[in-house]
Coordinates of all heavy atoms in Angstrom, one line a residue:
M1 N 3.3 4.1 72.6 CA 1.9 4.2 73.0 C 1.3 5.5 72.5 O 0.3 5.5 71.8 CB 1.8 4.2 74.6 CG 0.4 4.0 75.1 SD -0.3 2.4 74.6 CE -2.0 2.8 74.6
R2 N 2.0 6.6 72.7 CA 1.6 7.9 72.2 C 1.6 7.9 70.6 O 0.6 8.4 70.0 CB 2.5 9.0 72.7 CG 2.2 10.3 72.2 CD 3.1 11.4 72.9 NE 2.3 12.0 74.0 CZ 2.5 13.2 74.4 NH1 3.5 13.9 73.9 NH2 1.7 13.8 75.3
E3 N 2.6 7.3 70.0 CA 2.7 7.2 68.6 C 1.5 6.5 68.0 O 0.8 6.9 67.1 CB 3.9 6.5 68.1 CG 5.2 7.4 68.0 CD 4.9 8.5 67.0 OE1 4.6 8.2 65.8 OE2 5.0 9.7 67.5
K4 N 1.1 5.4 68.7 CA 0.0 4.6 68.2 C -1.3 5.3 68.4 O -2.1 5.3 67.5 CB 0.0 3.3 69.1 CG -0.6 2.1 68.3 CD -0.5 0.8 69.1 CE -1.1 -0.3 68.3 NZ -1.2 -1.5 69.0
G5 N -1.4 6.1 69.5 CA -2.6 6.9 69.6 C -2.7 8.0 68.5 O -3.8 8.2 68.0
M6 N -1.6 8.5 68.2 CA -1.6 9.6 67.1 C -2.0 9.0 65.7 O -2.8 9.6 65.0 CB -0.2 10.2 66.9 CG 0.0 11.3 67.9 SD -1.2 12.6 67.7 CE -0.9 13.6 69.2
E7 N -1.5 7.8 65.5 CA -1.9 7.1 64.2 C -3.4 6.9 64.2 O -4.1 7.0 63.2 CB -1.2 5.8 64.1 CG 0.1 5.9 63.4 CD 0.9 4.6 63.4 OE1 0.3 3.5 63.3 OE2 2.2 4.7 63.5
K8 N -4.0 6.5 65.3 CA -5.4 6.2 65.4 C -6.2 7.5 65.2 O -7.2 7.5 64.5 CB -5.7 5.6 66.8 CG -7.0 4.7 66.8 CD -7.1 3.9 68.1 CE -8.3 3.1 68.0 NZ -8.5 2.4 69.3
I9 N -5.8 8.5 65.9 CA -6.4 9.8 65.7 C -6.4 10.3 64.3 O -7.4 10.8 63.7 CB -5.8 10.9 66.7 CG1 -6.2 10.5 68.1 CG2 -6.3 12.3 66.3 CD1 -5.6 11.4 69.2
E10 N -5.2 10.1 63.6 CA -5.1 10.5 62.2 C -6.0 9.7 61.3 O -6.6 10.3 60.4 CB -3.6 10.4 61.8 CG -3.4 11.0 60.4 CD -1.9 11.2 60.1 OE1 -1.1 10.4 60.6 OE2 -1.6 12.1 59.3
S11 N -6.2 8.5 61.6 CA -7.0 7.7 60.7 C -8.5 8.1 61.0 O -9.3 8.1 60.0 CB -6.8 6.2 60.9 OG -7.6 5.7 62.0
H12 N -8.8 8.5 62.2 CA -10.2 9.0 62.4 C -10.4 10.4 61.7 O -11.4 10.6 61.1 CB -10.4 9.2 63.9 CG -10.6 8.0 64.7 ND1 -10.5 7.9 66.0 CD2 -11.0 6.7 64.3 CE1 -10.7 6.6 66.4 NE2 -11.0 5.9 65.4
A13 N -9.3 11.2 61.7 CA -9.4 12.5 61.1 C -9.7 12.3 59.6 O -10.5 12.9 59.0 CB -8.1 13.3 61.3
Y14 N -8.9 11.3 58.9 CA -9.2 11.1 57.5 C -10.6 10.6 57.3 O -11.3 11.0 56.3 CB -8.2 10.0 57.0 CG -6.9 10.6 56.4 CD1 -5.7 10.6 57.1 CD2 -7.0 11.3 55.2 CE1 -4.6 11.2 56.6 CE2 -5.8 11.8 54.7 CZ -4.6 11.8 55.4 OH -3.5 12.4 54.9
D15 N -11.1 9.8 58.2 CA -12.4 9.2 58.1 C -13.5 10.3 58.1 O -14.3 10.4 57.3 CB -12.6 8.2 59.2 CG -13.7 7.3 58.9 OD1 -13.8 6.7 57.8 OD2 -14.6 7.1 59.8
F16 N -13.3 11.2 59.1 CA -14.3 12.3 59.3 C -14.2 13.3 58.1 O -15.3 13.7 57.6 CB -14.0 13.1 60.6 CG -14.3 12.3 61.8 CD1 -13.5 12.6 63.0 CD2 -15.2 11.3 61.9 CE1 -13.7 11.8 64.2 CE2 -15.4 10.6 63.1 CZ -14.7 10.9 64.2
V17 N -13.0 13.6 57.7 CA -12.9 14.6 56.6 C -13.4 14.0 55.3 O -14.2 14.7 54.6 CB -11.4 15.0 56.5 CG1 -11.2 15.9 55.2 CG2 -11.0 15.9 57.7
T18 N -13.1 12.8 55.0 CA -13.6 12.1 53.8 C -15.1 12.0 53.8 O -15.7 12.3 52.8 CB -12.9 10.7 53.7 OG1 -11.5 10.9 53.7 CG2 -13.3 10.1 52.3
K19 N -15.7 11.7 54.9 CA -17.2 11.4 54.9 C -18.0 12.7 55.1 O -19.1 12.8 54.6 CB -17.5 10.4 56.0 CG -17.1 9.0 55.6 CD -17.6 8.0 56.6 CE -17.1 6.6 56.3 NZ -16.7 5.9 57.5
R20 N -17.5 13.6 56.0 CA -18.3 14.8 56.4 C -18.0 16.0 55.6 O -18.7 17.0 55.7 CB -18.1 15.0 57.9 CG -18.6 13.9 58.7 CD -18.1 14.2 60.1 NE -18.5 13.1 61.0 CZ -19.4 13.1 62.0 NH1 -20.1 14.2 62.1 NH2 -19.7 12.1 62.8
L21 N -16.8 16.1 55.0 CA -16.3 17.4 54.5 C -16.0 17.3 53.0 O -16.2 18.3 52.3 CB -15.0 17.7 55.2 CG -14.8 19.2 55.6 CD1 -15.9 19.8 56.3 CD2 -13.5 19.3 56.4
A22 N -15.5 16.1 52.5 CA -15.1 16.0 51.1 C -16.2 16.0 50.1 O -15.9 16.5 49.0 CB -14.1 14.8 51.0
P23 N -17.4 15.4 50.4 CA -18.4 15.4 49.3 C -18.8 16.7 48.7 O -18.7 17.7 49.4 CB -19.6 14.7 50.0 CG -19.0 14.0 51.2 CD -17.8 14.8 51.6
K24 N -19.2 16.7 47.5 CA -19.6 18.0 46.8 C -20.8 18.6 47.5 O -20.8 19.8 47.8 CB -20.0 17.6 45.4 CG -20.3 18.8 44.5 CD -20.5 18.4 43.1 CE -21.0 19.6 42.3 NZ -21.3 19.2 40.9
A25 N -21.8 17.8 47.8 CA -23.0 18.4 48.5 C -23.2 17.8 49.9 O -23.2 16.6 50.0 CB -24.2 18.1 47.7
I26 N -23.2 18.6 50.9 CA -23.4 18.2 52.3 C -24.7 18.8 52.8 O -24.8 20.0 52.9 CB -22.2 18.6 53.1 CG1 -20.9 18.0 52.5 CG2 -22.4 18.1 54.6 CD1 -19.6 18.7 53.0
P27 N -25.7 18.0 53.0 CA -27.0 18.6 53.4 C -27.0 19.4 54.7 O -27.7 20.4 54.7 CB -27.9 17.3 53.5 CG -27.1 16.1 53.3 CD -25.7 16.6 52.9
N28 N -26.2 19.0 55.6 CA -26.2 19.7 56.9 C -24.9 20.5 57.1 O -24.5 20.7 58.2 CB -26.4 18.8 58.1 CG -25.3 17.7 58.2 OD1 -24.6 17.5 57.3 ND2 -25.1 17.2 59.4
D29 N -24.4 21.1 56.0 CA -23.1 21.8 56.1 C -23.2 22.9 57.2 O -24.2 23.7 57.2 CB -22.7 22.4 54.8 CG -21.2 22.8 54.9 OD1 -20.4 22.1 55.4 OD2 -20.9 24.0 54.4
G30 N -22.2 23.0 58.0 CA -22.2 24.0 59.1 C -22.6 23.3 60.4 O -22.4 23.8 61.5
K31 N -23.3 22.1 60.3 CA -23.7 21.4 61.5 C -23.1 20.0 61.6 O -23.5 19.2 62.5 CB -25.2 21.3 61.6 CG -25.9 22.7 61.6 CD -27.4 22.5 62.0 CE -28.2 23.7 61.6 NZ -28.5 23.8 60.2
Q32 N -22.3 19.6 60.6 CA -21.8 18.2 60.6 C -20.7 17.9 61.6 O -20.4 16.7 61.8 CB -21.3 17.9 59.2 CG -20.0 18.5 58.8 CD -20.2 19.8 58.1 OE1 -20.8 20.7 58.6 NE2 -19.7 19.9 56.8
T33 N -20.2 18.9 62.3 CA -19.1 18.6 63.2 C -19.5 19.0 64.6 O -19.7 20.2 64.9 CB -17.8 19.4 62.8 OG1 -17.5 19.1 61.5 CG2 -16.6 19.1 63.7
P34 N -19.7 18.0 65.5 CA -20.1 18.3 66.9 C -19.1 19.2 67.6 O -17.9 19.2 67.2 CB -20.2 16.9 67.5 CG -20.2 15.9 66.4 CD -19.5 16.5 65.3
M35 N -19.6 20.0 68.6 CA -18.7 20.9 69.3 C -17.8 20.2 70.3 O -16.8 20.7 70.7 CB -19.5 22.0 70.0 CG -20.2 23.0 69.1 SD -19.0 23.9 68.0 CE -18.1 24.9 69.2
R36 N -18.2 19.0 70.7 CA -17.4 18.3 71.6 C -17.4 16.8 71.3 O -18.0 16.4 70.3 CB -17.9 18.5 73.1 CG -19.4 18.1 73.2 CD -19.9 18.4 74.6 NE -20.0 19.9 74.7 CZ -19.6 20.5 75.8 NH1 -19.1 19.9 76.8 NH2 -19.8 21.8 75.9
G37 N -16.6 16.0 72.1 CA -16.5 14.6 71.9 C -15.2 14.2 71.4 O -14.2 14.3 72.2
H38 N -15.0 13.9 70.2 CA -13.7 13.4 69.6 C -12.7 14.6 69.5 O -13.1 15.7 69.2 CB -14.0 12.8 68.3 CG -12.9 11.9 67.8 ND1 -11.7 12.4 67.4 CD2 -12.8 10.5 67.8 CE1 -10.9 11.3 67.1 NE2 -11.6 10.2 67.3
P39 N -11.4 14.3 69.9 CA -10.4 15.4 69.8 C -10.4 16.0 68.3 O -10.1 17.2 68.2 CB -9.1 14.7 70.1 CG -9.4 13.3 70.5 CD -10.9 13.1 70.4
V40 N -10.7 15.2 67.3 CA -10.7 15.7 66.0 C -11.7 16.7 65.8 O -11.5 17.8 65.1 CB -10.8 14.5 64.9 CG1 -11.1 15.1 63.5 CG2 -9.6 13.6 64.9
F41 N -12.9 16.6 66.4 CA -14.0 17.6 66.2 C -13.5 18.9 66.8 O -13.7 20.0 66.2 CB -15.3 17.1 67.0 CG -15.9 15.9 66.4 CD1 -16.7 15.1 67.2 CD2 -15.8 15.6 65.1 CE1 -17.3 13.9 66.8 CE2 -16.4 14.4 64.6 CZ -17.2 13.6 65.4
I42 N -12.9 18.9 68.0 CA -12.5 20.1 68.6 C -11.4 20.8 67.8 O -11.4 22.0 67.6 CB -12.0 19.7 70.1 CG1 -13.2 19.3 70.9 CG2 -11.3 20.9 70.7 CD1 -12.9 18.3 71.9
A43 N -10.5 20.0 67.3 CA -9.4 20.5 66.4 C -10.0 21.1 65.1 O -9.5 22.1 64.6 CB -8.4 19.4 66.0
Q44 N -11.1 20.5 64.6 CA -11.7 21.1 63.4 C -12.3 22.5 63.6 O -12.1 23.3 62.8 CB -12.8 20.1 62.9 CG -12.3 18.9 62.2 CD -13.4 18.1 61.6 OE1 -13.9 17.2 62.2 NE2 -13.9 18.4 60.4
H45 N -12.9 22.7 64.8 CA -13.4 24.0 65.1 C -12.3 25.0 65.3 O -12.4 26.1 64.9 CB -14.4 23.9 66.3 CG -15.7 23.3 66.0 ND1 -16.6 23.9 65.2 CD2 -16.2 22.1 66.2 CE1 -17.7 23.1 65.0 NE2 -17.4 22.0 65.6
A46 N -11.2 24.5 66.0 CA -10.1 25.4 66.2 C -9.3 25.8 65.0 O -8.7 26.9 64.9 CB -9.1 24.7 67.2
T47 N -9.4 25.0 63.9 CA -8.6 25.2 62.7 C -9.5 25.6 61.6 O -9.0 25.7 60.4 CB -7.8 24.0 62.3 OG1 -8.7 22.9 62.1 CG2 -6.7 23.6 63.4
A48 N -10.7 25.9 61.8 CA -11.7 26.3 60.8 C -11.8 25.3 59.6 O -11.8 25.6 58.5 CB -11.3 27.7 60.2
T49 N -11.8 24.0 60.1 CA -12.0 23.0 59.1 C -13.2 22.2 59.4 O -13.3 21.0 59.1 CB -10.8 22.0 59.0 OG1 -10.5 21.4 60.3 CG2 -9.5 22.8 58.6
C50 N -14.2 22.8 60.1 CA -15.4 22.1 60.6 C -16.4 21.9 59.5 O -17.2 21.0 59.6 CB -16.0 22.8 61.8 SG -16.3 24.5 61.5
C51 N -16.5 22.8 58.5 CA -17.5 22.7 57.5 C -17.0 23.4 56.2 O -16.0 24.1 56.3 CB -18.8 23.4 58.0 SG -18.7 25.2 58.3
R52 N -17.7 23.2 55.1 CA -17.3 23.8 53.9 C -17.3 25.3 53.9 O -16.6 26.0 53.2 CB -18.1 23.2 52.7 CG -17.9 21.8 52.5 CD -16.4 21.4 52.2 NE -16.0 21.9 50.9 CZ -16.0 21.2 49.8 NH1 -16.3 19.9 49.8 NH2 -15.6 21.7 48.6
G53 N -18.3 25.9 54.7 CA -18.4 27.3 54.8 C -17.1 27.9 55.4 O -16.5 28.8 54.9
C54 N -16.6 27.2 56.5 CA -15.3 27.7 57.1 C -14.1 27.4 56.2 O -13.2 28.2 56.1 CB -15.1 27.0 58.5 SG -16.3 27.6 59.7
L55 N -14.1 26.3 55.5 CA -13.0 26.0 54.6 C -12.9 27.0 53.5 O -11.8 27.4 53.1 CB -13.2 24.6 53.9 CG -12.7 23.4 54.7 CD1 -12.9 22.1 53.8 CD2 -11.3 23.5 55.1
F56 N -14.0 27.5 53.1 CA -14.0 28.5 52.1 C -13.6 29.9 52.6 O -12.7 30.6 52.1 CB -15.4 28.7 51.4 CG -15.4 29.8 50.4 CD1 -14.7 29.7 49.2 CD2 -16.2 30.9 50.7 CE1 -14.7 30.7 48.3 CE2 -16.2 32.0 49.7 CZ -15.5 31.9 48.6
K57 N -14.2 30.2 53.8 CA -13.9 31.5 54.4 C -12.5 31.7 54.8 O -11.8 32.7 54.6 CB -14.8 31.7 55.6 CG -14.9 33.1 56.1 CD -16.0 33.2 57.2 CE -15.9 34.5 58.0 NZ -16.6 34.4 59.2
W58 N -11.9 30.7 55.4 CA -10.5 30.8 56.0 C -9.5 30.2 55.1 O -8.3 30.7 55.2 CB -10.5 30.0 57.3 CG -11.4 30.7 58.3 CD1 -12.7 30.5 58.6 CD2 -11.0 31.8 59.2 NE1 -13.2 31.3 59.5 CE2 -12.2 32.1 59.9 CE3 -9.8 32.5 59.4 CZ2 -12.2 33.2 60.9 CZ3 -9.8 33.5 60.3 CH2 -11.0 33.9 61.1
W59 N -9.8 29.2 54.3 CA -8.7 28.6 53.5 C -8.9 28.7 52.0 O -8.2 28.1 51.2 CB -8.6 27.1 53.9 CG -8.3 26.9 55.4 CD1 -9.2 26.5 56.3 CD2 -7.1 27.2 56.1 NE1 -8.6 26.5 57.5 CE2 -7.3 27.0 57.4 CE3 -5.9 27.7 55.7 CZ2 -6.4 27.1 58.4 CZ3 -4.9 27.9 56.6 CH2 -5.1 27.6 58.0
R60 N -10.0 29.4 51.6 CA -10.3 29.6 50.2 C -10.4 28.4 49.4 O -10.0 28.3 48.2 CB -9.2 30.5 49.5 CG -9.2 31.9 50.1 CD -10.4 32.8 49.6 NE -10.8 33.7 50.7 CZ -12.0 34.3 50.7 NH1 -12.9 34.1 49.8 NH2 -12.3 35.1 51.7
I61 N -11.0 27.4 50.0 CA -11.3 26.1 49.2 C -12.7 26.2 48.8 O -13.7 26.3 49.6 CB -11.1 24.9 50.1 CG1 -9.6 24.8 50.5 CG2 -11.5 23.6 49.4 CD1 -9.3 23.7 51.5
P62 N -13.0 26.2 47.4 CA -14.3 26.4 46.9 C -15.3 25.3 47.4 O -14.9 24.2 47.7 CB -14.1 26.2 45.4 CG -12.7 26.4 45.1 CD -12.0 26.0 46.4
K63 N -16.6 25.7 47.6 CA -17.6 24.9 48.2 C -18.2 23.9 47.2 O -18.7 22.8 47.6 CB -18.7 25.8 48.7 CG -18.5 26.3 50.1 CD -19.9 26.9 50.5 CE -19.7 28.1 51.4 NZ -21.0 28.6 51.8
D64 N -18.3 24.3 45.9 CA -19.2 23.6 45.0 C -18.6 22.4 44.3 O -18.9 22.1 43.2 CB -19.8 24.6 44.0 CG -18.7 25.3 43.3 OD1 -17.5 25.2 43.7 OD2 -19.0 26.0 42.3
R65 N -17.6 21.8 44.9 CA -17.0 20.6 44.3 C -16.4 19.7 45.4 O -16.3 20.1 46.6 CB -15.9 21.0 43.3 CG -14.8 21.8 44.0 CD -13.5 21.7 43.1 NE -12.5 22.6 43.6 CZ -11.7 22.3 44.6 NH1 -11.8 21.2 45.3 NH2 -10.7 23.1 45.0
E66 N -16.1 18.5 45.0 CA -15.5 17.6 46.0 C -14.1 18.0 46.3 O -13.4 18.6 45.5 CB -15.4 16.2 45.3 CG -16.0 15.0 46.0 CD -15.9 13.8 45.2 OE1 -16.8 13.5 44.4 OE2 -14.9 13.1 45.4
L67 N -13.6 17.7 47.6 CA -12.3 18.0 47.9 C -11.3 17.1 47.2 O -11.6 15.9 47.0 CB -12.0 17.8 49.4 CG -12.8 18.8 50.4 CD1 -12.3 18.5 51.8 CD2 -12.5 20.2 50.1
T68 N -10.2 17.6 46.8 CA -9.1 16.8 46.2 C -8.4 16.0 47.3 O -8.4 16.4 48.5 CB -8.1 17.6 45.4 OG1 -7.4 18.5 46.3 CG2 -8.8 18.5 44.4
R69 N -7.6 15.0 46.8 CA -6.8 14.3 47.7 C -5.8 15.2 48.5 O -5.6 15.1 49.7 CB -6.0 13.3 46.8 CG -5.1 12.3 47.6 CD -6.0 11.2 48.2 NE -5.8 11.2 49.7 CZ -6.4 10.5 50.5 NH1 -7.4 9.7 50.1 NH2 -6.1 10.5 51.8
Q70 N -5.2 16.2 47.8 CA -4.3 17.1 48.4 C -5.0 18.0 49.4 O -4.4 18.3 50.5 CB -3.7 18.1 47.3 CG -2.7 17.4 46.4 CD -3.3 16.7 45.2 OE1 -4.5 16.4 45.2 NE2 -2.5 16.5 44.2
E71 N -6.2 18.4 49.1 CA -7.0 19.2 50.1 C -7.3 18.4 51.4 O -7.2 18.9 52.5 CB -8.2 19.8 49.5 CG -7.9 20.9 48.5 CD -9.0 21.3 47.6 OE1 -10.0 20.5 47.4 OE2 -8.9 22.3 46.9
I72 N -7.6 17.2 51.2 CA -7.9 16.3 52.3 C -6.7 16.2 53.2 O -6.7 16.3 54.4 CB -8.5 14.9 51.9 CG1 -9.9 15.1 51.2 CG2 -8.5 13.9 53.0 CD1 -10.4 13.8 50.5
D73 N -5.5 15.9 52.5 CA -4.2 15.8 53.3 C -3.9 17.1 54.0 O -3.5 17.1 55.1 CB -3.1 15.6 52.3 CG -3.1 14.1 51.8 OD1 -3.8 13.3 52.3 OD2 -2.4 13.9 50.7
F74 N -4.2 18.2 53.4 CA -4.0 19.6 54.0 C -4.8 19.7 55.2 O -4.3 20.1 56.3 CB -4.3 20.7 52.9 CG -4.3 22.1 53.5 CD1 -3.1 22.7 53.9 CD2 -5.5 22.7 53.6 CE1 -3.1 24.0 54.4 CE2 -5.5 24.0 54.2 CZ -4.4 24.6 54.5
V75 N -6.1 19.4 55.1 CA -7.0 19.6 56.2 C -6.6 18.7 57.4 O -6.6 19.1 58.5 CB -8.5 19.3 55.8 CG1 -9.4 19.1 56.9 CG2 -9.0 20.4 54.8
V76 N -6.3 17.4 57.1 CA -5.9 16.5 58.1 C -4.6 17.0 58.8 O -4.4 16.9 60.0 CB -5.8 15.0 57.6 CG1 -5.1 14.1 58.6 CG2 -7.2 14.5 57.2
G77 N -3.7 17.5 58.0 CA -2.5 18.1 58.5 C -2.7 19.2 59.5 O -2.1 19.2 60.5
L78 N -3.7 20.1 59.2 CA -4.0 21.2 60.1 C -4.6 20.6 61.4 O -4.2 21.0 62.5 CB -5.1 22.1 59.5 CG -4.7 23.0 58.4 CD1 -6.0 23.6 57.8 CD2 -3.8 24.1 58.9
I79 N -5.5 19.6 61.3 CA -6.1 19.0 62.5 C -5.0 18.3 63.3 O -5.0 18.5 64.6 CB -7.1 17.9 62.0 CG1 -8.3 18.7 61.4 CG2 -7.6 17.1 63.2 CD1 -9.3 17.7 60.6
M80 N -4.1 17.6 62.7 CA -3.1 16.8 63.5 C -2.1 17.8 64.1 O -1.7 17.6 65.2 CB -2.4 15.8 62.6 CG -3.3 14.7 62.1 SD -4.2 13.9 63.4 CE -2.9 13.1 64.4
A81 N -1.8 18.9 63.4 CA -0.8 19.9 64.0 C -1.4 20.5 65.3 O -0.8 20.6 66.3 CB -0.5 20.9 63.0
F82 N -2.7 20.8 65.2 CA -3.4 21.3 66.4 C -3.4 20.3 67.5 O -3.1 20.7 68.7 CB -4.9 21.7 66.0 CG -5.6 22.2 67.2 CD1 -5.5 23.5 67.6 CD2 -6.4 21.3 67.9 CE1 -6.2 24.0 68.8 CE2 -7.1 21.8 69.1 CZ -7.0 23.1 69.5
I83 N -3.8 19.1 67.3 CA -3.8 18.1 68.3 C -2.5 17.8 68.9 O -2.3 17.8 70.2 CB -4.5 16.8 67.8 CG1 -5.9 17.0 67.5 CG2 -4.3 15.6 68.8 CD1 -6.6 15.8 66.7
K84 N -1.4 17.8 68.1 CA -0.1 17.5 68.6 C 0.3 18.7 69.5 O 0.9 18.5 70.6 CB 0.9 17.3 67.5 CG 0.8 15.9 66.9 CD 1.7 15.8 65.7 CE 1.4 14.4 65.0 NZ 1.8 14.3 63.7
K85 N 0.0 19.9 69.1 CA 0.4 21.1 69.9 C -0.4 21.1 71.3 O 0.2 21.3 72.3 CB 0.0 22.3 69.1 CG 0.8 23.6 69.5 CD 0.5 24.7 68.5 CE -0.2 25.8 69.2 NZ -1.2 26.5 68.5
E86 N -1.6 20.7 71.2 CA -2.4 20.7 72.4 C -1.9 19.6 73.4 O -1.9 19.8 74.6 CB -3.9 20.3 72.1 CG -4.7 21.3 71.5 CD -5.0 22.5 72.4 OE1 -5.8 22.3 73.3 OE2 -4.3 23.5 72.3
M87 N -1.4 18.5 72.9 CA -1.0 17.4 73.8 C 0.4 17.7 74.4 O 0.8 17.0 75.4 CB -0.9 16.1 73.0 CG -2.3 15.6 72.7 SD -2.3 14.1 71.9 CE -2.0 12.9 73.2
E88 N 1.1 18.7 73.9 CA 2.4 19.0 74.5 C 2.3 19.9 75.7 O 3.3 20.1 76.4 CB 3.3 19.6 73.4 CG 4.1 18.6 72.6 CD 4.6 19.2 71.3 OE1 4.8 20.4 71.2 OE2 4.7 18.4 70.3
I89 N 1.2 20.5 75.9 CA 1.0 21.4 77.0 C 1.0 20.7 78.3 O 0.4 19.7 78.4 CB -0.3 22.3 76.8 CG1 -0.2 23.2 75.6 CG2 -0.6 23.1 78.1 CD1 -1.5 23.8 75.1
Ligands
ZN101 ZN1 -17.7 25.7 60.2

């Protein structure tokens, strides 16, 4: 049950990162990730992967281009590590 829940959360994480973070130009960058709601949103703020500004500031991922497949995997990895850690408490 828990495994299945994690897979679902991970697929949401990929979905959010691909649509809200990966494109080259994001009109509302800095505001695209709500502060509450989905556990992925909360994890994004906690891991500084909520917007391209934070990705650049904390992870040195340049803003002016699309994210690569590897960068998307990296971001989703950070999000999932945070969520797994939170759930063990
Ligand atoms: Zn941010």
Side-chain angles (χ1 to χ4, degrees):
M1 194 60 206
R2 176 173 261 208
E3 273 306 299
K4 209 169 178 190
M6 277 299 168
E7 272 172 34
K8 203 169 182 185
I9 289 172
E10 189 167 27
S11 88
H12 287 162
Y14 269 106
D15 199 48
F16 294 149
V17 170
T18 305
K19 288 186 184 143
R20 297 167 185 253
L21 218 55
K24 185 176 175 184
I26 302 161
N28 63 338
D29 193 47
K31 300 192 196 80
Q32 73 268 56
T33 305
M35 288 303 291
R36 57 185 70 225
H38 202 285
V40 168
F41 296 152
I42 292 148
Q44 283 184 268
H45 288 286
T47 57
T49 59
C50 53
C51 64
R52 293 302 290 263
C54 291
L55 274 185
F56 176 69
K57 196 171 163 197
W58 295 90
W59 303 107
R60 294 288 146 196
I61 296 174
K63 275 192 211 181
D64 54 353
R65 60 161 174 78
E66 234 176 271
L67 293 185
T68 65
R69 188 73 238 176
Q70 287 87 336
E71 285 163 348
I72 292 172
D73 288 343
F74 170 73
V75 168
V76 171
L78 288 171
I79 292 166
M80 293 311 294
F82 176 83
I83 291 172
K84 282 173 190 163
K85 206 172 111 217
E86 286 292 286
M87 285 182 82
E88 273 160 24
I89 295 168

